Amino acid sequence: MASRLELIENEMGDLQMLVSALSVSASGAGQDLILLRQRLQDDQPAETIEQDVARYTEASRLLQSGTQDAVILKECGLARAELDLLRAVGQGSSTFTEK
C-alpha cells in the first residue's frame, strides 16, 4: 500500500510540473497575441501583416513536414511561444490564410 501511495505521489508531482510548464507556455503565447493585436491596432502596414502571415504559413508547413523546432524557430524568426501556439492551433488547420 505504501509503494502504491508513493507511485501516486510521484505521478502527481509529474503532472504538477507538466501543468506548470503548459501554464508558462500559454502565458508566453498570450503575450505574443497581445503584442500582435497592439501592432494591428496601431495601423500596421499591410505589407508587414502579409510578412507575418507568410512566416506563420511557412512555419505551419514545416511543422506538418516534421521539421525540428530549432530549424523552424530560426528559419521563420518565431518565438518559442509562437511555435507552441501554431502547433496547438495547427491540429485543426494546416495553414494560415488571409480572409
Side-chain angles (χ1 to χ4, degrees):
M1 187 69 146
S3 64
R4 185 173 177 164
L5 179 59
E6 183 179 338
L7 178 65
I8 291 171
E9 287 174 345
N10 288 339
E11 288 179 7
M12 275 184 38
D14 291 344
L15 289 172
Q16 287 172 335
M17 286 191 304
L18 179 60
V19 167
S20 178
L22 288 172
S23 177
V24 168
S25 178
S27 175
Q31 290 296 327
D32 287 341
L33 288 174
I34 289 169
L35 291 173
L36 181 58
R37 177 177 284 163
Q38 287 172 346
R39 285 174 48 193
L40 290 172
Q41 289 174 346
D42 292 341
D43 293 325
Q44 181 182 11
E47 181 178 298
T48 305
I49 294 170
E50 289 172 8
Q51 290 170 349
D52 287 344
V53 170
R55 288 183 323 126
Y56 294 135
T57 300
E58 177 65 7
S60 179
R61 185 188 68 73
L62 291 171
L63 268 173
Q64 267 199 329
S65 72
T67 303
Q68 292 182 351
D69 287 3
V71 173
I72 298 171
L73 293 172
K74 183 178 179 182
E75 287 188 15
C76 298
L78 300 180
R80 167 57 66 180
E82 289 175 300
L83 182 58
D84 292 342
L85 183 60
L86 276 175
R87 180 175 282 116
V89 170
Q91 293 180 14
S93 170
S94 62
T95 59
F96 284 81
T97 57
E98 290 185 58
K99 292 187 177 182

